[in-house]
Amino acid sequence: MQTSLGDCAAAGDDEDSDDCSAYTTASNYEERGPFGKRTTDGKSFEPLRSGDNVEYTPIISVAGTDYRRAWVLSVSLSSDCPLVLSTNDVLDKRHLVRRIQVIEPGGGLVDHRGIYRPIEEFQLEEGGTITHGDVNALQATEYAGKFEDVQKKIMNAADNF
């Protein structure tokens, strides 16, 4: 029996097959039912941790029309918005996300066909030290560099006018 995502990848199996997954994924959701394989407190066995790649719809959008993908940079169990995402979107713990890539035990990424579920129903694994402020600072630095480039082009065009 295969016991890890790495073993599944080495054997050429999907990580969401019954041998390789202890939690519900898109391919086995129907056979387990929407409430199958959950802990007594109503949480899924599926973990969500720093380094996972998730897909979600932004808060200001029509569901099903605008999907975004982001890296989970850190997870804080004590917050109402427990995930810090690479897009810096702030999602409430009741917001639906699904994991699309996970880190295998050896450190590589593996595609994952997760199902949408509220963030609070995942087994959140606290980790990472990046905050929303850190992501804001990084984005501000990137935008400042782009703005300076555009400003230089405009000044050069004005000098040559």
Side-chain angles (χ1 to χ4, degrees), residues 43 48 75-80 82 93 123-127:
K43 292 190 176 199
L48 185 60
V75 178
S76 172
L77 300 177
S78 61
S79 175
D80 285 337
K93 62 185 173 186
Q123 292 292 332
L124 298 175
E125 295 182 9
E126 190 152 3

Side-chain angles (χ1 to χ4, degrees), residues 44-140:
S44 163
F45 285 105
E46 185 171 10
L48 185 60
R49 61 180 76 91
S50 178
D52 287 345
N53 195 355
V54 296
E55 183 178 73
Y56 61 95
T57 55
I59 294 173
I60 304 176
S61 71
V62 177
T65 60
D66 180 24
Y67 293 100
R68 287 194 186 165
R69 293 178 174 201
W71 294 101
V72 178
L73 301 177
S74 65
V75 178
S76 172
L77 300 177
S78 61
S79 175
D80 285 337
C81 302
L83 305 181
V84 175
L85 302 174
S86 60
T87 57
N88 209 26
D89 286 334
V90 178
L91 305 178
D92 184 77
K93 62 185 173 186
R94 293 176 297 277
H95 200 87
L96 299 175
V97 301
R98 76 179 181 112
R99 298 188 323 157
I100 55 176
Q101 286 185 320
V102 296
I103 296 178
E104 64 182 356
L109 283 174
V110 176
D111 289 337
H112 175 74
R113 292 182 42 193
I115 60 171
Y116 282 97
R117 67 177 84 236
I119 294 169
E120 65 187 351
E121 288 186 12
F122 285 93
Q123 292 292 332
L124 298 175
E125 295 182 9
E126 190 152 3
T129 58
I130 296 174
T131 65
H132 288 287
D134 296 334
V135 178
N136 278 336
L138 177 63
Q139 289 176 343

